[in-house]
Amino acid sequence: MDSLLDRQFSALADPTRRAILARLARGEATVGELQRPFGISQPAISRHLKVLESAGLIEGGKAAQARPRRLKADALDDARQWIDGLRTLWSDSFDQLDAFLKATEGKAE
Amino acid sequence: MDSLLDRQFSALADPTRRAILARLARGEATVGELQRPFGISQPAISRHLKVLESAGLIEGGKAAQARPRRLKADALDDARQWIDGLRTLWSDSFDQLDAFLKATEGKAE
DNA sequence: GTGTTATATAACTATCATGTTATATGCAAG
DNA sequence: CTTGCATATAACATGATAGTTATATAACAC
Protein backbone atom coordinates (compact mmCIF):
# COMPACT_ATOMS: atom_id res chain seq x y z
CA MET A 1 0.00 0.00 0.00
CA ASP A 2 2.29 2.73 -1.14
CA SER A 3 1.41 6.37 -1.61
CA LEU A 4 0.69 8.19 -4.85
CA LEU A 5 4.00 9.97 -4.48
CA ASP A 6 5.81 6.65 -4.21
CA ARG A 7 4.06 5.48 -7.32
CA GLN A 8 4.77 8.67 -9.25
CA PHE A 9 8.46 8.66 -8.51
CA SER A 10 8.90 4.98 -9.17
CA ALA A 11 6.95 5.34 -12.40
CA LEU A 12 9.46 8.01 -13.42
CA ALA A 13 12.41 5.84 -12.48
CA ASP A 14 12.01 3.76 -15.62
CA PRO A 15 13.39 5.29 -18.84
CA THR A 16 10.84 3.48 -21.00
CA ARG A 17 8.03 5.00 -18.99
CA ARG A 18 9.58 8.46 -19.18
CA ALA A 19 9.78 8.06 -22.94
CA ILE A 20 6.12 7.04 -23.02
CA LEU A 21 5.20 10.13 -21.04
CA ALA A 22 7.22 12.33 -23.37
CA ARG A 23 5.44 10.79 -26.32
CA LEU A 24 2.03 11.30 -24.74
CA ALA A 25 2.85 14.91 -23.93
CA ARG A 26 2.72 15.52 -27.68
CA GLY A 27 -0.71 13.94 -27.97
CA GLU A 28 -2.59 10.76 -27.30
CA ALA A 29 -1.41 7.43 -28.64
CA THR A 30 -2.51 3.82 -28.74
CA VAL A 31 -0.65 0.85 -27.36
CA GLY A 32 0.43 -0.15 -30.83
CA GLU A 33 1.80 3.28 -31.62
CA LEU A 34 3.69 3.32 -28.37
CA GLN A 35 5.13 -0.11 -28.91
CA ARG A 36 6.81 0.50 -32.24
CA PRO A 37 9.63 2.84 -31.12
CA PHE A 38 10.71 0.51 -28.32
CA GLY A 39 12.00 -2.93 -29.02
CA ILE A 40 9.81 -4.59 -26.42
CA SER A 41 6.70 -6.71 -26.51
CA GLN A 42 3.13 -5.43 -26.45
CA PRO A 43 2.34 -6.92 -23.04
CA ALA A 44 5.34 -5.09 -21.63
CA ILE A 45 3.95 -1.79 -22.92
CA SER A 46 0.53 -2.58 -21.52
CA ARG A 47 2.02 -3.09 -18.12
CA HIS A 48 4.02 0.12 -18.24
CA LEU A 49 0.79 1.89 -19.06
CA LYS A 50 -0.90 0.28 -16.10
CA VAL A 51 1.88 1.52 -13.84
CA LEU A 52 1.57 5.04 -15.24
CA GLU A 53 -2.18 4.95 -14.82
CA SER A 54 -2.05 3.79 -11.23
CA ALA A 55 0.37 6.65 -10.57
CA GLY A 56 -2.27 9.05 -11.81
CA LEU A 57 -0.13 10.20 -14.72
CA ILE A 58 -2.18 9.09 -17.69
CA GLU A 59 -5.78 8.25 -18.36
CA GLY A 60 -7.27 5.56 -20.49
CA GLY A 61 -9.19 5.66 -23.69
CA LYS A 62 -12.87 4.99 -23.30
CA ALA A 63 -13.23 1.78 -25.26
CA ALA A 64 -13.08 0.65 -28.85
CA GLN A 65 -10.77 -1.59 -30.69
CA ALA A 66 -8.05 0.91 -30.01
CA ARG A 67 -8.03 2.75 -26.72
CA PRO A 68 -5.70 5.72 -26.81
CA ARG A 69 -4.05 7.05 -23.64
CA ARG A 70 -3.30 10.62 -22.85
CA LEU A 71 -1.39 12.56 -20.22
CA LYS A 72 -3.48 13.77 -17.33
CA ALA A 73 -3.55 17.52 -16.98
CA ASP A 74 -2.27 17.62 -13.43
CA ALA A 75 0.23 14.84 -13.96
CA LEU A 76 3.33 15.18 -11.84
CA ASP A 77 1.99 18.08 -9.80
CA ASP A 78 2.49 16.04 -6.66
CA ALA A 79 6.04 15.07 -7.55
CA ARG A 80 6.89 18.61 -8.51
CA GLN A 81 5.46 19.99 -5.30
CA TRP A 82 7.46 17.58 -3.24
CA ILE A 83 10.67 18.64 -4.94
CA ASP A 84 9.81 22.32 -4.54
CA GLY A 85 9.01 21.73 -0.89
CA LEU A 86 12.42 20.22 -0.34
CA ARG A 87 14.07 23.13 -2.04
CA THR A 88 12.17 25.55 0.18
CA LEU A 89 13.28 23.76 3.31
CA TRP A 90 16.79 23.83 2.00
CA SER A 91 16.90 27.54 1.19
CA ASP A 92 15.18 28.42 4.46
CA SER A 93 17.98 26.67 6.27
CA PHE A 94 20.41 28.89 4.39
CA ASP A 95 18.44 31.96 5.38
CA GLN A 96 18.75 30.86 8.96
CA LEU A 97 22.47 30.43 8.56
CA ASP A 98 22.63 33.88 7.00
CA ALA A 99 20.67 35.35 9.85
CA PHE A 100 22.92 33.62 12.34
CA LEU A 101 26.03 34.89 10.64
CA LYS A 102 24.66 38.41 10.54
CA ALA A 103 23.62 38.24 14.18
CA THR A 104 27.02 37.04 15.37
CA GLU A 105 28.96 39.22 12.98
CA GLY A 106 31.81 41.07 14.57
CA LYS A 107 31.50 39.19 17.82
CA ALA A 108 34.10 36.60 16.96
CA GLU A 109 37.77 37.25 16.26
CA MET B 1 24.37 1.13 -16.07
CA ASP B 2 21.42 3.38 -15.50
CA SER B 3 21.41 7.14 -15.86
CA LEU B 4 21.59 9.73 -13.13
CA LEU B 5 17.96 10.57 -13.79
CA ASP B 6 16.96 6.94 -13.27
CA ARG B 7 18.86 6.95 -10.02
CA GLN B 8 17.38 10.23 -8.84
CA PHE B 9 13.81 9.19 -9.45
CA SER B 10 14.21 5.77 -7.98
CA ALA B 11 15.93 7.30 -4.97
CA LEU B 12 12.84 9.47 -4.50
CA ALA B 13 10.50 6.52 -4.84
CA ASP B 14 11.26 5.34 -1.34
CA PRO B 15 9.51 7.21 1.49
CA THR B 16 12.34 6.56 3.92
CA ARG B 17 14.78 8.20 1.56
CA ARG B 18 12.46 11.16 1.03
CA ALA B 19 12.28 11.58 4.78
CA ILE B 20 16.06 11.45 5.00
CA LEU B 21 16.32 14.17 2.36
CA ALA B 22 13.79 16.30 4.21
CA ARG B 23 15.81 15.90 7.36
CA LEU B 24 19.04 16.80 5.63
CA ALA B 25 17.44 19.87 4.06
CA ARG B 26 17.35 21.28 7.58
CA GLY B 27 21.03 20.65 8.11
CA GLU B 28 23.60 17.92 8.11
CA ALA B 29 23.18 14.79 10.20
CA THR B 30 25.05 11.63 11.05
CA VAL B 31 23.94 8.08 10.42
CA GLY B 32 23.03 7.65 14.06
CA GLU B 33 20.91 10.78 14.11
CA LEU B 34 19.13 9.67 10.98
CA GLN B 35 18.50 6.21 12.31
CA ARG B 36 16.65 7.16 15.44
CA PRO B 37 13.40 8.49 13.91
CA PHE B 38 12.91 5.42 11.73
CA GLY B 39 12.43 2.01 13.16
CA ILE B 40 15.01 0.38 10.95
CA SER B 41 18.51 -0.93 11.44
CA GLN B 42 21.69 1.07 11.03
CA PRO B 43 22.89 -0.92 7.99
CA ALA B 44 19.60 -0.16 6.27
CA ILE B 45 20.17 3.56 6.78
CA SER B 46 23.72 3.29 5.52
CA ARG B 47 22.48 1.71 2.34
CA HIS B 48 19.81 4.33 1.80
CA LEU B 49 22.53 6.93 2.13
CA LYS B 50 24.62 5.11 -0.43
CA VAL B 51 21.69 5.17 -2.85
CA LEU B 52 21.16 8.89 -2.28
CA GLU B 53 24.83 9.56 -2.76
CA SER B 54 25.08 7.64 -6.01
CA ALA B 55 22.08 9.64 -7.22
CA GLY B 56 24.07 12.80 -6.60
CA LEU B 57 21.65 14.04 -3.97
CA ILE B 58 23.83 14.12 -0.88
CA GLU B 59 27.48 14.30 -0.14
CA GLY B 60 29.49 12.53 2.45
CA GLY B 61 31.27 13.71 5.53
CA LYS B 62 35.02 13.80 5.18
CA ALA B 63 36.04 11.27 7.77
CA ALA B 64 36.06 10.95 11.52
CA GLN B 65 34.25 8.77 13.89
CA ALA B 66 31.05 10.40 12.79
CA ARG B 67 30.73 11.42 9.16
CA PRO B 68 27.80 13.74 8.65
CA ARG B 69 25.96 13.92 5.33
CA ARG B 70 24.43 16.96 3.78
CA LEU B 71 22.20 17.78 0.84
CA LYS B 72 24.01 18.77 -2.29
CA ALA B 73 23.23 22.26 -3.46
CA ASP B 74 22.06 21.28 -6.92
CA ALA B 75 20.24 18.20 -5.71
CA LEU B 76 17.22 17.33 -7.80
CA ASP B 77 17.93 19.90 -10.46
CA ASP B 78 17.96 17.14 -13.04
CA ALA B 79 14.72 15.60 -11.88
CA ARG B 80 13.07 18.97 -11.69
CA GLN B 81 14.21 19.89 -15.18
CA TRP B 82 12.86 16.69 -16.60
CA ILE B 83 9.46 17.32 -15.09
CA ASP B 84 9.47 20.92 -16.31
CA GLY B 85 10.47 19.73 -19.75
CA LEU B 86 7.52 17.38 -19.87
CA ARG B 87 5.20 20.13 -18.78
CA THR B 88 6.54 22.38 -21.52
CA LEU B 89 5.96 19.74 -24.18
CA TRP B 90 2.48 19.28 -22.80
CA SER B 91 1.51 22.93 -22.81
CA ASP B 92 3.07 23.45 -26.24
CA SER B 93 0.80 20.75 -27.54
CA PHE B 94 -2.12 22.72 -26.12
CA ASP B 95 -0.87 25.87 -27.79
CA GLN B 96 -0.82 24.00 -31.06
CA LEU B 97 -4.36 22.82 -30.46
CA ASP B 98 -5.35 26.37 -29.66
CA ALA B 99 -3.69 27.63 -32.81
CA PHE B 100 -5.40 24.93 -34.81
CA LEU B 101 -8.77 25.77 -33.35
CA LYS B 102 -8.27 29.46 -34.02
CA ALA B 103 -7.09 28.79 -37.56
CA THR B 104 -10.06 26.61 -38.42
CA GLU B 105 -12.53 28.71 -36.52
CA GLY B 106 -15.68 29.45 -38.43
CA LYS B 107 -14.77 27.10 -41.22
CA ALA B 108 -16.63 24.14 -39.80
CA GLU B 109 -20.35 23.85 -39.17
C1' DG C 1 -21.84 -16.76 -37.25
C1' DT C 2 -16.08 -16.56 -38.70
C1' DG C 3 -11.98 -14.03 -38.94
C1' DT C 4 -8.98 -10.10 -37.87
C1' DT C 5 -7.15 -6.51 -35.09
C1' DA C 6 -6.06 -4.22 -30.66
C1' DT C 7 -5.40 -4.89 -26.12
C1' DA C 8 -5.35 -7.36 -21.60
C1' DT C 9 -4.19 -11.07 -18.61
C1' DA C 10 -1.80 -15.37 -16.97
C1' DA C 11 2.16 -17.99 -15.98
C1' DC C 12 6.75 -18.02 -15.72
C1' DT C 13 11.73 -16.42 -15.20
C1' DA C 14 15.48 -13.45 -14.05
C1' DT C 15 17.07 -9.54 -11.78
C1' DC C 16 16.87 -5.87 -8.35
C1' DA C 17 15.48 -3.79 -3.80
C1' DT C 18 14.98 -3.77 0.99
C1' DG C 19 15.28 -5.52 5.09
C1' DT C 20 17.63 -8.48 8.50
C1' DT C 21 21.93 -10.21 11.61
C1' DA C 22 26.73 -10.81 12.07
C1' DT C 23 31.18 -9.02 11.32
C1' DA C 24 34.86 -5.81 9.78
C1' DT C 25 37.00 -1.22 9.74
C1' DG C 26 38.65 3.31 11.41
C1' DC C 27 39.25 6.49 14.70
C1' DA C 28 39.48 8.33 19.44
C1' DA C 29 40.24 7.72 24.52
C1' DG C 30 42.49 5.98 28.07
C1' DC D 1 47.88 -1.32 22.79
C1' DT D 2 43.23 -2.24 24.15
C1' DT D 3 38.46 -0.73 24.51
C1' DG D 4 34.51 1.48 22.67
C1' DC D 5 31.86 3.97 19.37
C1' DA D 6 30.23 5.15 14.59
C1' DT D 7 29.86 3.42 10.32
C1' DA D 8 30.56 0.08 6.50
C1' DT D 9 30.29 -4.36 4.42
C1' DA D 10 28.99 -9.38 3.84
C1' DA D 11 25.67 -12.93 3.53
C1' DC D 12 21.23 -14.00 3.31
C1' DA D 13 15.77 -14.08 2.86
C1' DT D 14 11.96 -12.13 0.69
C1' DG D 15 9.21 -9.47 -2.15
C1' DA D 16 8.78 -6.44 -6.15
C1' DT D 17 9.86 -5.39 -11.18
C1' DA D 18 10.34 -6.10 -15.98
C1' DG D 19 10.71 -8.93 -19.42
C1' DT D 20 9.19 -13.10 -22.03
C1' DT D 21 5.45 -16.36 -24.58
C1' DA D 22 0.89 -18.07 -24.78
C1' DT D 23 -3.85 -17.22 -24.34
C1' DA D 24 -8.20 -14.59 -23.46
C1' DT D 25 -11.34 -10.77 -24.48
C1' DA D 26 -13.72 -7.23 -27.10
C1' DA D 27 -14.98 -4.79 -31.06
C1' DC D 28 -15.17 -4.38 -35.92
C1' DA D 29 -15.56 -6.41 -40.89
C1' DC D 30 -17.47 -9.68 -43.58
Side-chain angles (χ1 to χ4, degrees):
Chain A
M1 217 210 39
D2 42 21
S3 74
L4 228 191
L5 208 43
D6 292 355
R7 271 175 272 155
Q8 292 205 349
F9 282 127
S10 66
L12 292 174
D14 186 293
T16 300
R17 282 192 293 263
R18 287 200 305 276
I20 290 176
L21 288 177
R23 168 62 186 80
L24 291 179
R26 302 214 113 93
E28 54 179 38
T30 67
V31 174
E33 290 164 350
L34 290 169
Q35 184 190 352
R36 223 155 308 145
F38 308 102
I40 66 181
S41 66
Q42 171 265 312
I45 296 287
S46 281
R47 263 213 311 213
H48 279 307
L49 291 173
K50 207 169 175 183
V51 170
L52 290 169
E53 189 171 352
S54 93
L57 300 179
I58 67 175
E59 49 192 5
K62 0 230 154 150
Q65 201 161 350
R67 58 208 70 176
R69 316 304 170 83
R70 57 179 170 283
L71 253 199
K72 286 184 69 174
D74 57 353
L76 293 181
D77 278 4
D78 291 333
R80 191 179 212 279
Q81 276 174 27
W82 191 88
I83 291 177
D84 284 351
L86 186 74
R87 173 175 295 200
T88 301
L89 272 183
W90 170 249
S91 56
D92 282 359
S93 80
F94 268 122
D95 291 349
Q96 287 176 8
L97 180 59
D98 263 13
F100 173 76
L101 291 178
K102 279 208 181 71
T104 56
E105 192 165 89
K107 290 188 179 172
E109 202 10 7
Chain B
M1 218 212 36
D2 43 20
S3 74
L4 227 190
L5 207 43
D6 291 356
R7 271 174 271 155
Q8 291 202 353
F9 282 127
S10 66
L12 292 175
D14 185 292
T16 301
R17 282 192 292 262
R18 287 200 304 277
I20 289 176
L21 288 177
R23 168 63 187 78
L24 291 181
R26 301 215 114 90
E28 53 179 39
T30 66
V31 174
E33 289 164 351
L34 290 170
Q35 183 189 354
R36 223 155 309 144
F38 309 102
I40 66 182
S41 66
Q42 170 265 312
I45 297 287
S46 280
R47 264 215 308 215
H48 280 305
L49 291 173
K50 206 169 176 183
V51 170
L52 290 169
E53 189 170 353
S54 91
L57 299 179
I58 67 176
E59 48 191 5
K62 359 230 158 151
Q65 200 160 351
R67 60 208 69 175
R69 315 304 168 84
R70 56 181 171 281
L71 253 199
K72 285 184 69 172
D74 56 355
L76 294 180
D77 277 4
D78 292 332
R80 190 179 212 276
Q81 275 174 28
W82 190 89
I83 291 177
D84 284 352
L86 187 73
R87 173 175 295 200
T88 300
L89 271 184
W90 170 249
S91 55
D92 281 359
S93 79
F94 269 121
D95 291 349
Q96 288 177 6
L97 181 59
D98 263 12
F100 173 77
L101 291 177
K102 278 209 182 73
T104 57
E105 193 165 87
K107 289 191 182 171
E109 200 21 358

